Amino acid sequence: MKLLLQTLCICLALGLVTPHHGGEHLQADDPAPPDAPVAIDRCDGMEMDAVALDMDGIPYFFKDGWFFKGFHGKAQMAKDSYLELKDHQHLGHVDAAFRLHQPDHPEHDHMFVFLDDKVFVYENHTLEPGYPKDIKEVFPGIPDHLDAAVECTEEDCKADLIIFFKGDDIYHFNVKDKTVDEKEFSSMPNCTSAFHWLGHYYCFHGHQFSKFDPMTGEVHGKYPKDARSYFMRCPKFADDADHAERERCSHVHLDAATSDDAGNVYAFRSHHFLYMEGEKMHSDTIESAFKELHSEVDAVFSYEGHMHMIKDNEVFVYKIGEPHTHLEGYPKSLKEEFGLDGPVDAAFICQDHHIAHVIKGQTLYEVDMKATPRVPIKDGPFTLFKYVDAAMCGPDGVKIIVGNHFYHFESLMVMMTAKHVPEQKRVSTELFGCDH
């Protein structure tokens, strides 16, 4: 961890990026110039220097002179984003970073970045006046050359704390009174970066991670685990990996989801899919079960024993069974099948109905599956969400999946007339029963 990170990018705002079907909503990768150095690949396995959230809650993973946006996408050169740090190249790489999320604090939703003995504070693209400052000035009692840092909320830590890591030493820094309480986390490995995500606290060490209690450092459950399986969208995994457990508990967003006439749930993510038969969960590659698709679908829905799978501007149809059978004559163009131009974001059809509901941007279309030809009818704006990753309809209503969360509507009518989004629920824990 001794190379230069010249800059920090916190410029990806959730509402300003393109939804993932048009270019990945956690990813905005510009082509590298011809003379650019070879980018590092997070799927090779590496020890990240720091992990932090931007002001919109999007995670950034930092390594040497590069950073990764979100859970997938290529590395981007850090020096191309913020120019202010160029004057401090001698300080080296980023040691630690965190976002301060305290609405009453004057630096609420600012990014704190630590390099050697300095701390930089950013609001969006702009370095705050007066920074960088010495760490000891802003955080008295906290040492230089940190390994990791993470914010801990009052709800979890009984006070608003920043937890700093340096080797075996752990420091609980009280944000309000600036006192320091040194801790001993004997059951936890030394963290090279730390991360607060979806109510849990994670320590990254090498390309592995452990979930820990922020007050005691205790690690419960089967840890460590491979970060590439849960926090990154990597196509290849070890042969002895628990693929079903990985797909259930991954924090990478789903591409599509549906349930068949028998109530079996299918969820698609990148090169893999998860399917649940009764209470039993299985996982496989898309290539093995739907070889014509290869990988990555935009939307899937089930109708009369067939699975309709939309990828870019094409529609693939499979008869559900063991194995799934690709229908002759497919793929067909999305325009020919549904009268729409791709890509689309999600599609679903409710049981015993023949109307397919297609979400494209912030517009909802209805397509009568029994009509010939099928003509999309614009059902109006769908502005409850800035974007949608997946959607599915079952006997208990409609689930709209956005990022790591889903929103449950008791019926299609309730969804169509809703003025506000329902309670946010987590995909991994509340949809698939994972423990994190």
Side-chain angles (χ1 to χ4, degrees), residues 77-92:
M77 293 190 69
K79 69 178 184 179
D80 296 335
S81 298
Y82 275 70
L83 302 180
E84 295 93 341
L85 291 181
K86 283 188 175 181
D87 295 334
H88 304 276
Q89 295 181 12
H90 62 284
L91 294 179

Side-chain angles (χ1 to χ4, degrees), residues 98-99 102 150-163 172-173 175 196 201 213-215:
F98 68 86
R99 179 191 68 173
Q102 296 178 17
V150 64
E151 181 189 40
C152 186
T153 63
E154 185 174 5
E155 179 182 4
D156 296 327
C157 286
K158 302 178 181 179
D160 290 322
L161 302 179
I162 308 299
I163 306 175
H172 279 185
F173 182 89
V175 175
H196 180 202
Y201 295 82
D213 184 314
M215 291 298 290

Side-chain angles (χ1 to χ4, degrees), residues 165 167-170 182-191 203 210 212-219:
F165 302 79
D168 294 326
D169 299 323
I170 311 297
E182 293 191 34
K183 297 285 186 179
E184 182 178 344
F185 285 0
S186 58
S187 63
M188 196 170 74
N190 291 345
C191 304
C203 164
S210 298
F212 70 95
D213 184 314
M215 291 298 290
T216 66
E218 293 181 358
V219 176

Side-chain angles (χ1 to χ4, degrees), residues 13 32 61 67 105 121 153 172 176 178 197 211 220 224 281 283-284 289 317 364 368 385 426:
F61 298 83
F67 65 87
H105 196 282
V121 178
T153 63
H172 279 185
K176 292 182 180 178
K178 295 193 174 184
W197 180 249
K211 185 179 72 172
H220 300 290
M281 286 204 157
S283 180
D284 206 341
V317 179
L364 184 66
D368 188 342
F385 305 95
R426 295 175 189 163

